[in-house]
Structures are given as structure tokens and as C-alpha cells.
Amino acid sequence: IQVAGQRNNRPTMVNQKAMKKVPVTVLTGFLGSGKTTLMNRILNDASHGMKFAVIENEFGDVGIDNRILSENVSEEVIEIMNGCICCKVRGDLVAALKRLYEKVETFDGVIIETTGLADPAPVVQTFFAETNDGEEALETMYKLDSIITVADARHILERLDEEKPVDADNEAEQQVCFADKIILNKIDLMEKEDELRHVEERLRGLNPNAPILRCEHGGVSPKELLNIGAFDLDRILSFDPFFLGETKVPRHDGAISSISARVEGNVNMTMLHHWIGRLLHDEGETLYRYKGITAVKGKREKFVFQGVGHFFSSVARGSW
């Protein structure tokens, strides 16, 4: 893991370990809520003066978020692919964090962006789990600073009201309940103040303790998100006394799946727009999230597109 940037003289790794644990911010929220946009805001904002190690978890088997993150920042990203770190690839998260700690002197904090289908409970448990004899526990290396949940103001109620199979959890609900702070994003898509207040009332009904910050396009000051010391294990134990005593096994809805494609070559922009238009017309209601990066014939810039349901956006960003 390499994290570039100038540093002042700092203690040796051994002394650094003895002085403090590395703060970890968990960035979660349902598919399409705006997590990566918020991450870009944090990494591009120099006001916090921090260097980060970033762990990106992708539900699919092709990494997109790593390539959407700003190219102007020095932090490098660890990708954990093809499954949620709350269940299928939880062991990969532990291994990545332990490898990362070998270079603890090069960063000030860790930001973990979960998939949109992640249940935060097992992720939290990971930092308090017992280890085999002789292995150092993550709890001695890291401290959870906060769980930040990003909610899409336009779609969050729809996600919370979805009927799930009896053997599946509502991930959007779990993400709200475990939040130390809720970022109510995309408020520009709401037409009336009453609608926003209704959304906030529903969120507070699930989690009365978490402050709610409204924003557009992830426009939240990093000071509201980093080193805020908001994680409170006692709060979790107050509604789940056996939280640390049993391993949480997420129950995902088996009807949700992903498909990825990687093809070499350039695309015709007109044909691409026609194809996306037909896809949204025919399947928009069933698309939780879609995103992609393409090379366009005759253009040096990357064409980045993403959307939720029928809400589609695209932008030229960076060069190939």
C-alpha cells in the first residue's frame, strides 16, 4: 500500500502503535445514495490536513468506484471485490486492514466505503472480534470513529418500505439504525419542504440519536465526518445486548444480483445513449444502481455514467 505526500517527522511505527489507534470512518448507505460522491468531496478537500487509506468494497466483480474517485488526490485505494465485506469477503477486510497497518506511519485515518447492500453490524463486529492465539486483534490497531450513512432523499422511503422475504433483512433500514450520523443527500430532487421533513421523521423514528445533515451532491464539510468520535458501542449494546457475543450473519435478498462487463475498444456515443435510453425505459424500475466508464470514439476523456432507476447522469472526467 502506498500513500503519497509529504509528512512531518513522526514517531517510529512501534511508538506510533503505542500512542494511538488509527481512526476508521465507515461510509455506508444503500445503492445510489451518493457514497462515492461524498468520498470524492473528502479526498479533494485539503482543509482537514489528513492522509487516508481508502478501502473500497464492490458488490460486483469489476471495480468502478476506484476509477470514479478523483485522480487529483494522492491516496491510493484498496479494492475488495465480488461480495460484501459484511459477509462473503469479511476475511478479506481483516487481511487488508492488517497489511495496511504495517505502513501505519504513512496515513492518519482509514475510510471504508461499503457496498450499497452491506449490513453495518458485521462490519462493526469485525473490529471487536477475538483472534486466534498469537494474532493481534484489530481492536488494538484501529478504533471506529463513526458510521456515516448516506441516504438518498428521493428514494430512501421507497427502500425502507420494500417488502423483503421473511429470511432477508432490509439493508437500508439496518444502515440507518447503525448510523452515528445520517447524510440526507440529493435534497435538490425533492420539490417540497414537507416531503423532506417527512423523510427526516421516518429516519428519526428508526434512529433518534443520529444527527441528520441535508446536502446536495455530497456537499458536507469533512469536519462533520472525520475525527468526530461519534461511534458508541454502548448505544448498540443498549438495543442488542448480545451484539458482541454472537456473529452477525447478514440475510441478503437473493433476488438482488449484479452483472458486469469489461470490453476493449471504443463506443459510439449516439448508440450508447440509445441503448441506455432503452434500458431505462424497459427496466428502470428494477435498477437499483448502474455505473460505468467507457472510452468514446474520437474523445480522449473518460465518459463516466451512473444512475438510480430512471435518474441518469453522465460526465467527461479525466483522460485515458
Side-chain angles (χ1 to χ4, degrees), residues 94-268:
V94 174
L97 286 166
K98 288 186 174 181
R99 289 196 309 271
L100 197 59
Y101 200 73
E102 295 174 1
K103 297 189 176 182
V104 66
E105 72 280 2
T106 65
F107 57 89
D108 304 298
V110 175
I111 303 177
I112 299 174
E113 181 182 344
T114 73
T115 75
L117 296 175
D119 180 345
V123 179
V124 171
Q125 277 191 328
T126 298
F127 288 89
F128 300 96
E130 296 181 356
T131 60
N132 298 324
D133 292 341
E135 291 187 8
E136 197 167 9
L138 289 180
E139 190 176 4
T140 66
M141 308 176 195
Y142 299 95
K143 63 176 181 180
L144 275 177
D145 183 70
S146 62
I147 300 173
I148 306 296
T149 296
V150 186
D152 178 344
R154 175 67 176 78
H155 293 96
I156 184 61
L157 296 188
E158 181 181 343
R159 303 303 180 226
L160 293 175
D161 291 338
E162 283 185 351
E163 292 187 10
K164 294 288 185 178
V166 294
D167 59 347
D169 297 320
N170 186 312
E171 293 91 353
E173 184 175 288
Q174 292 290 96
Q175 292 160 358
V176 171
C177 289
F178 268 85
D180 296 309
K181 185 169 287 189
I182 298 171
I183 307 302
L184 188 58
N185 193 28
K186 304 186 182 181
I187 62 171
D188 52 308
L189 300 181
M190 305 292 281
E191 296 181 356
K192 299 178 180 179
E193 174 65 21
D194 288 347
E195 294 176 339
L196 276 172
R197 283 201 292 264
H198 177 59
V199 171
E200 290 176 336
E201 288 173 2
R202 284 288 304 275
L203 297 177
R204 289 195 180 98
L206 292 171
N207 188 339
N209 298 308
I212 300 174
L213 300 182
R214 297 182 180 184
C215 72
E216 301 176 16
H217 308 292
V220 177
S221 169
K223 294 179 180 179
E224 297 283 354
L225 309 173
L226 306 172
N227 280 339
I228 58 177
F231 176 75
D232 185 0
L233 181 60
D234 290 337
R235 180 180 72 84
I236 296 175
L237 293 175
S238 69
F239 64 80
D240 187 355
F242 302 103
F243 179 76
L244 295 180
E246 57 184 21
T247 301
K248 299 293 183 182
V249 180
R251 303 182 304 168
H252 292 303
D253 186 347
I256 300 176
S257 61
S258 70
I259 184 170
S260 307
R262 180 181 295 168
V263 181
E264 293 187 6
N266 299 326
V267 300
N268 179 293

